[in-house]
Structures are given as C-alpha cells and as structure tokens.
Amino acid sequence: MRSIKAIMLVSIFLLAPLSGCFGEDSVSEVIADISVAEEQPLVAIRGQPYFLEVDSNVDFKVHRSAGMFFVDEYNVFRDAMNWTYSSEVTTVELLIIDSEQSGLELSVSTIDDEIFWNATLTLEDSSEMMLVDGRRAFDTIDMLTTDWNNRWCASASIHDGGANYEAAANGMAAIWETYGFDEVVVTHYEDDPNQVNVVGYKYGRLYPDQIILLGGHFDVAYAFTPPGGGTSEGANDDTSGSTVSMEVAQGIASREWDHTVAAALWACEEEGLLGSAAFVNHLPENQSIKAYMNFDMVSLNYPIVPPPGYGPYDLGIATAGADEGNLSQMNEWVRMVVEDEMSFDDTPQNDIHWASEET
C-alpha cells in the first residue's frame, strides 16, 4: 500500500510542471464588447441609405424591423430580418424604404442574441431624389408625352410605318445607356422586324443566366381603334407603365444583383402582346425568366379621393405562378413588400384588389 502511495506522490510531482502548459493551450472565453457610436443618428431618411457604426471585438448580428433592407459587401440588397457581420466590420449599410411607417426598430447583438444596443429610428421624408422617386417619374412622363408622341406599332400604323415609335425607342435606349446597365439592346428580329423592344440588362454576379424581368408596353393604341379610340400620347395606356419601368430601371441599373435583372419597354402590345412574345421566342436556350413584373395603366396616384358618383379606385395586384408552390411564394413576397415593408395603408376608397392564378 505504501508503495502505491509513493508512486502516486511521485506522479503528482512529475505532472505538476506540465499543468501550466495544459492551461495555456485551453481557449479562454472572450467577453463580448459591442458598442454603437455615441453620435449615431436616430433619424433615418426615407428612400436613402442609413449607416450604422459598430465597434465590436466579436462577430455580431444586426436585427431590423420591416421597412429597410441590408446592403451587403457586394452592394446587393438582402431582405433577411437579421444579418451577421465579422468583428472586422465597423460600418453596416441599410436602405430605408419609402415606407408609410413612422419609425423603424434596429438592434445589435452577439451571435447568441444578447442585445447590446437597440433603438427606434424616426423616419423623415427625403428632400433628395430616392432610389425610386415619384418626382423623377413625373419629369419622365412629362418628357414622354411631350417629346415622344404617336408611338404606334409599325404593323398598326397607316401613317408612319412605325417611324415615330422606333425613333422613341432609340431615344429611350440612349437615356438608358446613362443609367448604368451592363448592356442596353434595341431588338431587331430578322423574322419579326416590327418588334422593336428596348431591354436593359444588369448581369447577376451569381446567376447571370437567370433573369428577373420587369417592363411595360411602350406603344400606344392607334388612333380610332377600339375600345377607347386610341390617342397620340397614351398617357395612361401605357406611358404611365413605361414611366414606372424607366424609373425602376434607373434604380436597378445602379445596384448589383445575384440574378440578372432586366427592364424592358415592349413593342406592339396593343396588337396582341407581340413585342414581349417575340422577346420570349428569341430568348437564348441557356437563359430563363425567373420572375416578371408588369406595369400597365398605373397613373392614378395614392391616395385617391373619388369625386361624387365615382370610385372606389382600387390598386390591382395580380400574380401568376408556374405551380402552386411558386404561386404561394410569389403571393407572399408581394404581400410582404406591400403590407409589411411599405406598410401600405389601404382604405375602402383605395382598397387593394388581389388576384392570383396558377399558369
């Protein structure tokens, strides 16, 4: 028994000098120290970027409420409700949406959600142009209805054979070249030369062959055609949709995206969706359209107060999906943007009319 005790005692003496080495190899716990700049502004401007200054010795998360998007290191918008950052990051960028909310919630935490800072941001209107701005859109529709009239499809016009339309299409392409698109194309299909579409592409950094597309038709109904008789300007049908397409086009061209994002002005819609059909028929085999958003007759402002005997004027939102799962996802995305992010306050006089169909 004594020999066993002696061996144990010797072992303890031998191991004692090594205990320090073992201790040094163990990882000591890092106590999180996260702070936000004392002068951090608590007023955010609708439609403008907001910069959050963070000092942290550990990786951290930023949590947002509806009404703003994260902007990642590639200048791409992210709609996640929280985003994780390396401790090396000191500036977090978000885009404040032109939302009807009065305030937004923002907080900073550890990866394990221990909150170190939170605040309510007060929203104010922007005196400067926003990413997408109705003031710029007003100037665009004024320009289109003043300088680029009689945009009749070549196959429908007995007056000019489509010369006015093509001149306008080339004029818009010149403007789009200044937006920042990677490529702007005025289509001239050999088998269908009347379909002169204007298409601007911002190529995706991850999925360049998958296209998210938006647009509106650029032609107007030829004079005296049913049902409305046609006009020279087509201010509502569809110069309004062309205007929105152009306004969104300048916004998307200024950003980066995971997928290719494209905007289009379509030819000959009044003759049976001919321009957009020609675009699809000539789409390269390696490319696919992931989603499309269409703007047609959108010139009524919100809120609208109908005169006696008129109205209500509803906002029409229609979605279509390739299958039930796709349609459900599309409906949820649109609902989230309209109701949560923008906080659209529809009223009985300006209700949202929802329609969806699997196609």
Side-chain angles (χ1 to χ4, degrees):
M1 180 67 70
R2 288 182 178 179
S3 62
I4 294 175
K5 290 182 177 179
I7 292 173
M8 292 179 64
L9 187 59
V10 171
S11 299
I12 291 173
F13 279 119
L14 291 174
L15 291 173
L18 300 176
S19 63
C21 297
F22 292 127
E24 290 172 3
D25 287 342
S26 64
V27 178
S28 59
E29 182 180 357
V30 177
I31 299 176
D33 183 12
I34 306 175
S35 62
V36 171
E38 291 184 4
E39 63 275 14
Q40 180 67 42
L42 299 182
V43 173
I45 308 301
R46 292 183 174 91
Q48 300 294 347
Y50 178 85
F51 298 97
L52 179 67
E53 303 298 332
V54 180
D55 184 17
S56 177
N57 65 333
V58 295
D59 294 350
F60 62 94
K61 285 199 294 189
V62 177
H63 309 256
R64 72 171 181 93
S65 63
M68 50 185 155
F69 290 142
F70 293 105
V71 181
D72 72 8
E73 65 269 33
Y74 301 104
N75 207 28
V76 177
F77 295 132
R78 301 296 179 190
D79 64 356
M81 298 308 293
N82 60 74
W83 202 255
T84 300
Y85 295 90
S86 163
S87 60
E88 297 177 355
V89 174
T90 58
T91 301
V92 172
E93 182 180 357
L94 302 102
L95 176 72
I96 306 301
I97 298 173
D98 186 17
S99 172
E100 295 191 18
Q101 298 184 63
S102 59
L104 306 177
E105 301 296 325
L106 198 60
S107 64
V108 181
S109 75
T110 63
I111 300 300
D112 297 327
D113 295 327
E114 179 186 357
I115 301 295
F116 273 73
W117 180 87
N118 64 82
T120 299
L121 305 181
T122 301
L123 291 187
E124 294 184 356
D125 290 336
S126 176
S127 60
E128 300 179 359
M129 287 291 181
M130 300 179 289
L131 183 67
V132 176
D133 199 298
R135 293 165 292 189
R136 185 168 44 228
F138 182 88
D139 291 338
T140 298
I141 198 169
D142 183 56
M143 176 266 293
L144 290 176
T145 54
T146 302
D147 300 334
W148 304 102
N149 291 330
N150 304 326
R151 301 189 309 275
W152 301 314
C153 173
S155 58
S157 176
I158 62 175
H159 295 300
D160 64 2
N164 285 328
Y165 175 91
E166 186 162 4
N170 289 325
M172 296 311 102
I175 294 174
W176 284 26
E177 291 281 1
T178 69
Y179 285 170
F181 280 115
D182 295 318
E183 183 179 13
V184 177
V185 176
V186 178
T187 62
H188 293 89
Y189 306 115
E190 291 186 4
D191 58 346
D192 199 352
N194 289 335
Q195 308 317 316
V196 184
N197 303 313
V198 182
V199 188
Y201 296 90
K202 192 72 174 185
Y203 293 117
R205 52 180 296 272
L206 298 180
Y207 311 105
D209 294 327
Q210 298 179 12
I211 304 173
I212 298 173
L213 183 64
L214 63 92
H217 71 88
F218 196 48
D219 65 312
V220 300
Y222 171 55
F224 307 116
T225 56
T231 67
S232 292
E233 301 88 357
N236 190 26
D237 187 13
D238 184 34
T239 299
S240 64
S242 299
T243 297
V244 173
S245 298
M246 291 185 65
E247 182 59 22
V248 179
Q250 63 80 31
I252 65 176
S254 68
R255 311 297 303 192
E256 301 297 327
W257 308 94
D258 288 346
H259 295 76
T260 291
V261 181
L265 300 175
W266 304 120
C268 299
E269 186 270 354
E270 297 290 355
E271 304 305 305
L273 313 178
L274 301 183
S276 55
F279 176 83
V280 172
N281 292 335
H282 291 83
L283 197 68
E285 291 185 2
N286 65 316
Q287 294 182 356
S288 61
I289 306 298
K290 298 293 291 183
Y292 174 67
M293 179 175 290
N294 190 65
F295 302 107
D296 199 346
M297 293 191 291
V298 294
S299 65
L300 297 178
N301 289 326
Y302 171 85
I304 308 164
V305 180
Y310 292 85
Y313 295 127
D314 293 341
L315 170 64
I317 299 178
T319 57
D323 53 53
E324 183 178 351
N326 178 271
L327 181 59
S328 297
Q329 187 177 54
M330 294 281 286
N331 282 332
E332 174 56 20
W333 281 343
V334 175
R335 185 211 62 76
M336 178 186 69
V337 171
V338 173
E339 295 184 353
D340 297 346
E341 305 290 356
M342 295 180 62
S343 191
F344 185 87
D345 186 19
D346 53 322
T347 67
Q349 293 288 359
N350 298 270
D351 201 5
I352 298 177
H353 175 71
W354 296 88
S356 62
E357 180 179 357
E358 187 176 322
T359 179

